[in-house]
Amino acid sequence: MYILYGSIGSGSASVEAALAVSGIEYEIVQVTTAEGLHLTEDFKAINPRQQVPALRLPDRSVMTEGSAMMLHLADALPSTELAPAPGTAARAQHDRWLVFMAINIYEGELRKAYSDRYTDDPQGAEGVRSSADAYVKRHHAIIEEAISGPFILGDRMTMADIYLWMLAGWMDQEWLATHCPKIVALAARVRQDPRIAPIHAAHFG
Ligand SMILES: N[C@@H](CCC(=O)N[C@@H](CS)C(=O)NCC(=O)O)C(=O)O
């Protein structure tokens, strides 16, 4: 069985949604970051980086990096068809956008959330936060242009769409509605999937 170590409102939301859509057996262990549960020695033994998500695979090994988990689940459970077949041009585009979002948008969100970690200047955090905000918005705009519709790659929902639904949930909704109508529509479709709706309610209210 898969065991997901996650926290409400964190990057574990996309992995939880992917597991739910996959229809396989899984368990969630809440490592509530707001309560510092990711800083315990027990969790450090699971993920030395002390971040969520972490995913324990059925063979008991542990992987980190939410975007890698999405790719792993797509390949481990191909019947769910949550990504194009490996080696195809469509899969190249899928992986391209998933990694693009992970290293630019998710990473930019971390600079917004933990600005003080990215500067030695005691007065510098606000500058880090505001430049990260602009950076995240610029990369949302690039994804907006790339969406062929209704999903990133066309008619079928993929792991990349589930990941984008999560990132969209972290955004200023007014800004998103004004600048990224395709992302707003895509995220609404993902959210309306009956397997994802309860996860959306738990993570985004
Ligand atoms: N590169 C990791 C980032 C994971 C990450 O930064 N998770 C945040 C929550 S969204 C976290 O655990 N923050 C707690 C901390 O860094 O203290 C991934 O993509 O999964």
Side-chain angles (χ1 to χ4, degrees):
M1 176 164 70
Y2 284 94
I3 301 175
L4 176 63
Y5 301 88
S7 183
I8 293 298
S10 80
S12 61
S14 61
V15 185
E16 189 177 341
L19 286 164
V21 172
S22 301
I24 47 157
E25 211 187 336
Y26 66 93
E27 189 186 306
I28 308 278
V29 175
Q30 292 296 346
V31 183
T32 308
T33 54
E35 293 170 11
L37 298 188
H38 60 307
L39 302 175
T40 64
E41 285 304 309
D42 280 357
F43 188 63
K44 194 175 183 181
I46 293 166
N47 181 5
R49 186 63 181 82
Q50 295 180 284
Q51 291 177 327
V52 290
L55 184 66
R56 193 179 290 284
L57 275 49
D59 74 349
R60 308 288 299 158
S61 62
V62 171
M63 70 181 296
T64 63
E65 306 311 318
S67 51
M69 293 170 204
M70 308 294 278
L71 293 172
H72 165 71
L73 291 171
D75 290 341
L77 307 161
S79 62
T80 59
E81 296 185 338
L82 281 169
T88 60
R91 178 59 178 268
Q93 291 303 315
H94 176 271
D95 295 359
R96 166 201 178 181
W97 289 118
L98 187 57
V99 173
F100 174 93
M101 290 187 275
I103 66 171
N104 291 302
I105 301 181
Y106 194 144
E107 194 52 35
E109 289 288 359
L110 293 176
R111 291 204 298 279
K112 283 164 62 183
Y114 304 109
S115 313
D116 55 321
R117 295 183 188 171
Y118 292 84
T119 175
D120 290 333
D121 176 357
Q123 313 300 320
E126 181 47 34
V128 171
R129 203 207 58 75
S130 63
S131 70
D133 185 54
Y135 185 86
V136 164
K137 286 174 175 163
R138 179 155 73 87
H139 288 83
H140 270 284
I142 293 172
I143 286 271
E144 172 76 8
E145 284 299 309
I147 292 172
S148 62
F151 296 109
I152 294 176
L153 297 183
D155 288 340
R156 194 173 207 110
M157 181 174 79
T158 64
M159 291 294 189
D161 299 301
I162 295 176
Y163 200 81
L164 182 52
W165 151 77
M166 174 181 75
L167 297 177
W170 295 344
M171 286 300 285
D172 173 340
Q173 297 301 304
E174 242 179 74
W175 181 88
L176 208 60
T178 307
H179 297 91
C180 301
K182 287 196 270 182
I183 294 180
V184 170
L186 179 153
R189 274 185 183 244
V190 173
R191 179 174 78 228
Q192 281 155 16
D193 184 302
R195 299 160 296 185
I196 296 179
I199 297 167
H200 182 91
H203 284 270
F204 299 110

